[in-house]
Amino acid sequence: MVAACPEVSWGYRASRGQSGLVFAVEEAPGGGCTTRALGESIGSEADDLQSLRDMVRDALLCHFEEAERPRVFRLHLVRDEVLAVRGCHVT
């Protein structure tokens, strides 16, 4: 069984400053999670959130030299729901 990624609020911006590098995390259609860095060409996927954290750490180690590597990273969890509206009449 694949663990779902929980939802949190919007509001982070891409930055490699003191707040670190931000990754947008979404639930994958087939289960698990996918992520991409905002403002960088870094992405990964995993079966659950803990594995995704480990994959992002590894990706940062490979992508940046030590002097340029962000000291922290943020996972911004995004959940997109599409819902139908029934019984409403617009005049």
Side-chain angles (χ1 to χ4, degrees), residues 14-53:
S15 170
R16 275 202 295 154
Q18 290 182 352
S19 63
L21 188 59
V22 178
F23 288 80
V25 179
E26 297 177 341
E27 292 178 341
C33 305
T34 62
T35 188
R36 68 187 184 290
L38 305 180
E40 297 285 345
S41 298
I42 306 171
S44 191
E45 59 184 59
D47 288 337
D48 57 54
L49 194 53
Q50 183 56 49
S51 298
L52 190 67
R53 289 180 184 114

Side-chain angles (χ1 to χ4, degrees), residues 48-62:
D48 57 54
L49 194 53
Q50 183 56 49
S51 298
L52 190 67
R53 289 180 184 114
D54 296 337
M55 298 294 287
V56 169
R57 281 188 187 97
D58 289 344
L60 291 172
L61 291 171
C62 293

